[in-house]
Amino acid sequence: MERTCLAVILAAGDSTRMKSSKSKVLHPVAGRPMIAHVVEAVASAGISSVALVVGRDAEEVAKAASIADVGIEACLQKERLGTGHAVLAAREAIAKGYDDILVTYGDVPLQTDGPLKAARQGLADGSDIVVIGFHTDRPTGYGRLLVKDGELSAIREEKDATDAERAVTWCNSGLMAINGRKALDLLSRIGNANAKGEFYLTDLVEIARSLGGRVTAVDAPEIEMTGCNTRAELAVIERFWQERRRHQLMLSGVTMIAPETVFLSYDTVIGQDALIEPNVVFGPGAVIDSGAVIHAFSHIEGAHVSQGATVGPFARLRPGADLGNGSKVGNFCEVKNGRIGEGAKVNHLTYIGDAVIGAGSNIGAGTITCNYDGVNKSETVIGENAFIGSNSSLVAPVTIGDGAYIASGSVITADVPADALALGRARQEIKPGRASLLRERALAIKAAKKAKA
């Protein structure tokens, strides 16, 4: 029978050092609140029940933590009396009787399911407490994990450690798994007879051992255990997240010419054999299919780029942009809520918004779909194999038929039938010598103003 597990996620800190008007765990990593990254890691470890210990911005934090297939029970921590006290804010959830209790933190967004599963396996193998540690060549400030005969004998805080113990490089991450059948008894035994008068979760190691229980530790990569307390640390976490995800994508068959300049969102999907040039930014909701090319300095959010399509350089795809196979959105173009048909080309200096462009159509430079009248967003529909001349304005709602031709510089306000030519521009007039007169008049006005001054 599969073991049941409750994850207790501590997310009630005041986050004073972030110098922010919102809770620390609401700050985004890769476009997603860091608390959501933690819940995703928990869910990947096979845990579907979460007791979320909240304080500041409780409702917003609980909402940000809510992801599919994970039951979230928010538990309010009214006082800040240490990590042991924080876990007991979830007393009612713990009392429901889970096999495993996993304690983690809402400000450790790089954690993955591997160490969490290893900690749970330690419980299944008979441990009452399993501490997650990490090795580092910079152990200063961390509690050291002291192991004897395969068991964790103590977590020694640096101020209490001997010189030999300070040389230990296996450190406490703060994450811990607890035997669910014994959790409340063990937690209730934590005292606060210390300088700060707080209840420390790390005391469980000594308590469990004193009762004859087995305590062990498992290892996690140092990067995964990186916590966030300041904006500077948030930037470091963002860098680590980006590096990890870029590496995963390149191993999956994506080419990045200068990966350190490409910025991904938490849900960016890029297919095999896609090419990403330097200085590309992906916002949430971007899907890039196999063989697509994203040229330099492009920004893509909420958009789908199909197989073999090309984007940029210097292009912006906004939510709702959908590029068909082999289509092109070129330099200095913007597409918002627009479907670009197979093989269609939007070459340069163009805005396409709330529009449908048929397969094989060509949109000339400087074309804009005028889709907003101050009240309504109306749609422009362009058929297949149409040609829109440069510097044209298509005033929605309007439909351009298959194979139609729009003369350059036109303002189109009415539907154009298939295979028709439409011209919507004023007739050119030439006034010989008039330019000289205008210049003389302008100089006279300028001289008059100067004399008056």
Side-chain angles (χ1 to χ4, degrees), residues 267-271 282-294 299-311 316-329 335-342:
D267 60 351
T268 303
V269 176
I270 306 179
F282 294 97
V287 177
I288 312 301
D289 287 350
S290 174
V293 177
I294 311 299
H299 188 285
I300 301 174
E301 178 179 357
H304 174 220
V305 179
S306 295
Q307 184 172 354
T310 62
V311 176
R316 184 183 182 196
L317 301 185
R318 292 168 59 192
D322 188 358
L323 278 59
N325 292 345
S327 62
K328 177 182 179 181
V329 170
V335 179
K336 186 270 295 180
N337 192 30
R339 299 199 304 277
I340 313 299
E342 182 174 354

Side-chain angles (χ1 to χ4, degrees), residues 131-175:
V131 173
I132 298 177
F134 62 94
H135 284 88
T136 178
D137 56 4
R138 302 180 303 277
T140 302
Y142 294 107
R144 309 303 205 275
L145 301 186
L146 306 182
V147 177
K148 183 178 180 181
D149 299 329
E151 294 192 20
L152 184 64
S153 60
I155 299 177
R156 188 80 74 232
E157 296 304 324
E158 184 166 291
K159 66 182 185 308
D160 300 322
T162 65
D163 289 343
E165 289 169 344
R166 288 194 185 97
V168 173
T169 59
W170 202 13
C171 299
N172 178 35
S173 71
L175 281 67

Side-chain angles (χ1 to χ4, degrees), residues 10 18 48 53 97 127 129 132 151 160 213 272 314 365 367 387 404:
L10 306 185
M18 288 292 284
S48 59
V53 179
S127 295
I129 303 290
I132 298 177
E151 294 192 20
D160 300 322
Q272 182 178 320
F314 295 97
T367 295
F387 182 90

Side-chain angles (χ1 to χ4, degrees), residues 55-374:
R56 179 182 181 184
D57 300 326
E59 291 185 8
E60 292 86 347
V61 171
K63 182 178 179 180
S66 297
I67 64 175
D69 302 322
V70 176
I72 302 289
E73 180 179 346
C75 308
L76 184 64
Q77 184 187 11
K78 296 180 180 179
E79 298 178 279
R80 309 289 186 270
L81 299 176
T83 50
H85 176 264
V87 174
L88 278 175
R91 180 188 296 272
E92 291 185 8
I94 295 171
K96 292 178 181 178
Y98 293 88
D99 296 314
D100 305 337
I101 303 297
L102 179 71
V103 179
T104 186
Y105 294 81
D107 61 353
V108 187
L110 295 175
Q111 60 186 282
T112 64
D113 61 349
L116 307 184
K117 289 178 178 177
R120 291 191 63 194
Q121 185 59 50
L123 295 181
D125 292 340
S127 295
D128 286 333
I129 303 290
V130 182
V131 173
I132 298 177
F134 62 94
H135 284 88
T136 178
D137 56 4
R138 302 180 303 277
T140 302
Y142 294 107
R144 309 303 205 275
L145 301 186
L146 306 182
V147 177
K148 183 178 180 181
D149 299 329
E151 294 192 20
L152 184 64
S153 60
I155 299 177
R156 188 80 74 232
E157 296 304 324
E158 184 166 291
K159 66 182 185 308
D160 300 322
T162 65
D163 289 343
E165 289 169 344
R166 288 194 185 97
V168 173
T169 59
W170 202 13
C171 299
N172 178 35
S173 71
L175 281 67
M176 180 184 295
I178 309 169
N179 182 328
R181 308 303 175 183
K182 299 181 180 180
L184 285 180
D185 178 56
L186 293 172
L187 289 164
S188 67
R189 293 173 184 266
I190 298 176
N192 65 342
N194 52 64
K196 290 188 175 182
E198 294 187 349
F199 299 84
Y200 295 129
L201 189 64
T202 50
D203 289 352
L204 285 184
V205 172
E206 182 179 343
I207 292 169
R209 286 179 61 84
S210 70
L211 296 173
R214 185 167 185 260
V215 181
T216 57
V218 297
D219 197 34
E222 179 182 0
I223 286 177
E224 290 191 17
M225 298 296 103
T226 304
C228 182
N229 290 300
T230 67
R231 307 276 183 152
E233 290 173 348
L234 181 64
V236 170
I237 287 171
E238 182 74 34
R239 175 168 62 84
F240 285 153
W241 190 98
Q242 293 291 338
E243 289 174 352
R244 183 169 71 187
R245 185 64 183 131
R246 293 174 195 135
H247 185 68
Q248 292 169 345
L249 285 171
M250 288 187 287
L251 289 182
S252 74
V254 175
T255 296
M256 296 185 187
I257 295 174
E260 69 279 5
T261 70
V262 175
F263 289 87
L264 306 157
S265 191
Y266 71 96
D267 60 351
T268 303
V269 176
I270 306 179
Q272 182 178 320
D273 291 323
L275 169 63
I276 313 298
E277 290 187 355
N279 298 294
V280 173
V281 176
F282 294 97
V287 177
I288 312 301
D289 287 350
S290 174
V293 177
I294 311 299
H295 291 294
F297 294 98
S298 294
H299 188 285
I300 301 174
E301 178 179 357
H304 174 220
V305 179
S306 295
Q307 184 172 354
T310 62
V311 176
F314 295 97
R316 184 183 182 196
L317 301 185
R318 292 168 59 192
D322 188 358
L323 278 59
N325 292 345
S327 62
K328 177 182 179 181
V329 170
N331 48 295
F332 301 102
C333 292
E334 179 178 346
V335 179
K336 186 270 295 180
N337 192 30
R339 299 199 304 277
I340 313 299
E342 182 174 354
K345 293 179 174 60
V346 182
N347 284 310
H348 32 227
L349 301 164
T350 292
Y351 170 72
I352 300 296
D354 298 289
V356 177
I357 298 175
S361 289
N362 188 87
I363 311 300
T367 295
I368 61 172
T369 56
C370 309
N371 59 304
Y372 186 52
D373 60 9

